Amino acid sequence: MNEVSLLEQKLIKGFAVDINVSAGPFQLIGYPHGVEPVEKCVALLGFSDGDVVVRAAAYDTYLRNRTVADNEKTWTLGDVMEFFVQPAGRDDYFEFHLTPEKKRLQLHLQDYRTHGLQPFEEKVCDAGLRVWVGLKPGQGVRFAVCRYNYGEVGGAEMSSSFHARRGFGFHNPPAWTEIGQWPVVVGHGSDKK
């Protein structure tokens, strides 16, 4: 149990939509210190019919989130997967959350250096989370996959696809990965049966 290889198998074979893998599968690392998380998570990023597709598979002993409606502060209410993406050549970026109960949070942030000054309500957007915001495969697009994993009691164990730098938390596009720079794992480009 709790083995990365088993999660990768689920990630590749556990979805109906075929994708062309652009990054991954990769294991999320403990945040902010880069240690291995107690409960592992793997993710990959790809494209399908021009849409960005993010997949994640994780172990979770106490899988739950108390969010009851879309666009609540999901990360404070329980387990959540997060996807950050920044279009090439721009300061603004998007943050998307998905809870185990399929509740969504969609945010549009103007700048990572000042995102804390923008009121939460002004960040909420509707990008139609089937997450498509008009991104095309190509150079310059940055992304990160992150996770809040709450146990039975206490705070969340956080993990991410990148190492922490310069104190901006998950909101740090310069530390994210640029599409096309992460090594693609050969043989995982399609999950056709």
Side-chain angles (χ1 to χ4, degrees), residues 34 122 156 167 179:
E122 290 180 14
I179 293 175

Side-chain angles (χ1 to χ4, degrees), residues 22 46-47 49-52 85 87-88 132-141 179:
S22 181
F47 295 90
D49 295 327
D51 293 337
V52 176
V85 64
W132 103 258
V133 293
L135 294 174
K136 301 287 185 215
Q139 296 298 328
V141 175
I179 293 175

Side-chain angles (χ1 to χ4, degrees), residues 96-160:
F96 302 106
H97 293 199
L98 183 63
T99 72
E101 297 78 17
K102 299 182 183 176
K103 299 300 181 198
R104 306 169 303 162
L105 172 61
Q106 303 174 75
L107 301 175
H108 182 216
L109 301 106
Q110 297 307 312
D111 186 298
Y112 73 97
R113 293 172 294 262
T114 60
H115 78 87
L117 302 176
Q118 184 181 5
F120 176 79
E121 295 74 20
E122 290 180 14
K123 297 175 189 175
V124 173
C125 70
D126 183 359
L129 194 60
R130 202 187 80 84
V131 186
W132 103 258
V133 293
L135 294 174
K136 301 287 185 215
Q139 296 298 328
V141 175
R142 296 178 181 273
F143 76 95
V145 179
C146 305
R147 177 185 187 201
Y148 280 80
N149 180 20
Y150 285 83
E152 189 171 15
V153 295
E157 176 185 51
M158 299 187 303
S159 58
S160 72

